Amino acid sequence: MMQLGHKSTDLDRYIYLINLLDHNETLFYRTVMSDPARFLPIVYDPTIGEACLKFGTLPSARGIYSR
């Protein structure tokens, strides 16, 4: 949580959380569910929109999916 708090933008927080998801899925979900009101805007709208626009520049882009 301290490392996440040092990130200056929601996009930086998104990148950090997605990296956490890649390395420790249990900790990712525990973190997000510890305060959904705080973290859902980071891992979902509106930050995910910015991440989609900058998809090619993200360090560990997982992919864009559509239904």
Side-chain angles (χ1 to χ4, degrees):
M1 292 297 266
M2 285 178 45
Q3 291 176 359
L4 194 57
H6 285 81
K7 304 299 179 193
S8 59
T9 67
D10 280 345
L11 185 59
D12 289 337
R13 291 179 195 97
Y14 169 80
I15 292 168
Y16 180 84
L17 287 170
I18 294 305
N19 189 40
L20 180 62
L21 176 61
D22 288 341
H23 291 90
N24 189 336
E25 188 173 340
T26 302
L27 184 57
F28 168 81
Y29 284 108
R30 183 180 177 109
T31 302
V32 171
M33 294 311 296
S34 71
D35 190 357
R38 176 181 175 195
F39 292 111
L40 284 180
I42 296 170
V43 297
Y44 198 58
D45 287 339
T47 307
I48 194 68
E50 183 179 359
C52 289
L53 292 172
K54 296 180 179 180
F55 177 74
T57 63
L58 297 180
S60 63
R62 298 182 76 156
I64 297 177
Y65 304 95
S66 173
R67 287 188 169 201

